[in-house]
Amino acid sequence: MRFVRRYPAIAIAAVILAGVLALHAVGESLPGRWIATSYVGAFVVWTLIGMIRDVLRGHVGLDLLAVVAMVATLAVGEYIASLIIVLMLSGGEALEDFAGRRARRDLSALLDRSPRIAHVLIGPHDSASEEVQDVAVEDVSIGDTLLVRPAEIVPVDGILLTESGTFDESSLTGESMPVSRESGGVVLSGAINGARAVRIRALRASADSQYQQIVALVHAAEESHAPVVRLADRFAIPFTAVALVLAGTAWAISGDSTRFAEVLVLATPCPLLIAAPVAFLGGLSRAAKTGVIMKGGAVIEQLARVRSAAFDKTGTLTQGRPDLVAVRPAAGCEADELLMLAASAEQYSSHVLADGIRRAAAERDLVLRPSDDASEVATNGVMAVIDGRTIVVGKPAYVASLAPDTMFAALGIGEAAAYVAIDGRFGGVLVLADAPRLEAEAVVSWLRANGVDRLTMLTGDARSTAESIARAVGIDDIHADLLPAQKVELAADLRPRPMMMVGDGVNDAPVLAAADIGVAMGARGATAAGDAADVVILVDSLAKVVDAVSIGRHTLRVALTAIWIGIGLSVGLMVIAMTGVIPAVAGALIQEGVDLATILYALRALGGRTTGLGRV
């Protein structure tokens, strides 16, 4: 009954076909013919209405061939064949649903595991009067203390309050081994707690937490079918024309109108309508399983054709966690004082270097000072009034514009510098080292060897630092000292297209949105970059860029091959049917086999062998 409710057209067509066959068997063919003609005629009208709606939306109606085939079979008296065509077309929906469920199983698994309930602790903590209140995960507020029981899913991003805990983060990062977290560490929503109950303090609301961000991306991926329509449109008109020419030629040569119908029953468009969507769903599912979320099928097609790639530096080609390696104070300034003042100002900055400076101050037990007047100039630096002194920390050009006596520092490979000015005078330089990712050189080499003709770096960092990292990873085209708007402009002019931009951080959001394919390194949490990107990498590894491109190419190749298999088999069978050796009923049944073959091939998008770095 569930099948009947889900697919009523199939059930009705099957019942009518069985009744018509029964009438035909007892010699009552005329009533059967009228019943079949009436039902198929109604189905044709309904299909034509849908085709007109598609055309008005700008899509070619691929069901035209099926409509002509049904009308032709009715006209020549092959009413049983016409019923089989109806059953085949309506059954195509069931086949697509079945194959689609198989293809999107990893996407569905992410959705099904989405946390819905949180255990909020009410009352004095660690006391007998403490109560546990179950609330919807959407109602958790930042700062709430939550209890996560053994084997439960962490409902929102939080700070671990318990001394230690073990979590399974495989659904977030693809890491199969459980990871340990110490008190004060960040625990991401979607992780599965280990064998002991833990307490966390909510760090983000549900909508902003890592797992819910992934779920939102999955929903967006499932709802996008743009490339499927484009692929079908490309083949619809030529395939329809070839089928009609072959059928018309067979009729003209034989002088038998039945031959027209016998050819057309082998030209139904199910391979075009079903194979491509199944392949693209399979590609999205496979990508999700490897820790890469693509925001829709259109991204797959763009990734498959990418010809240029641009990379941000910090957090993308580098580890993204720079450590302080040297404090170089100017004359008259102490090293600890310089670091304390810089770290105090960097409390009000979101730049990745700021985090390294604050960590270094904490390791030296320096007490940071507050500021009542602090502001950040995007990509340039931060200015804050600390204990009555105006402290500026940022890029050399920015600091030099405010402190003309600024002395520029020599830097080594992978080093970056934060320049400091105090009350309009040069205070010194803080040198931080951010080493290239171990996999960065291999990723650049793979892209260059696999058809990506141009590789470039677009970064806001100083040229000396950018050049040292670029040389280490194998990139020759370098654009440094860029503002976000300049990155967007350069990305728009980059050729050949399509162009892929890989970045990390809030400042990368504009250029990620402007690129043909924006790829965000989103493993460190939800960012504006992740919102603006087309692809979000959940694993902290640049090698996943190779996975994304490889999966895109493999998926598009499978989709196109499945379509060509369907077209090739259909055209070959139509040519054979022109001789009259395939009756209309047999042809309609054979076409079902063609449909099944193309769908099974399209499911190959779920697989693919692995190589040392990416996948093919």
Side-chain angles (χ1 to χ4, degrees), residues 64-76:
L64 176 62
L65 281 174
V67 169
V68 174
M70 286 184 285
V71 173
T73 49
L74 287 178
V76 299

Side-chain angles (χ1 to χ4, degrees), residues 515-566:
D516 297 322
I517 313 110
V519 181
M521 304 289 291
R524 291 189 175 94
T527 66
D531 293 336
D534 303 297
V535 179
V536 179
I537 294 175
L538 305 177
V539 183
D540 193 19
S541 170
L542 194 63
K544 290 300 174 182
V545 172
V546 170
D547 283 351
V549 174
S550 298
I551 289 172
R553 291 180 177 179
H554 177 67
T555 300
L556 184 61
R557 186 164 58 244
V558 167
L560 290 171
T561 303
I563 288 173
W564 278 114
I565 287 174

Side-chain angles (χ1 to χ4, degrees), residues 20 23 28-41 74 79:
V20 169
L23 289 171
E28 297 291 337
S29 59
L30 187 59
R33 179 170 184 168
W34 281 111
I35 292 172
T37 301
S38 299
Y39 178 70
V40 174
L74 287 178
Y79 55 91

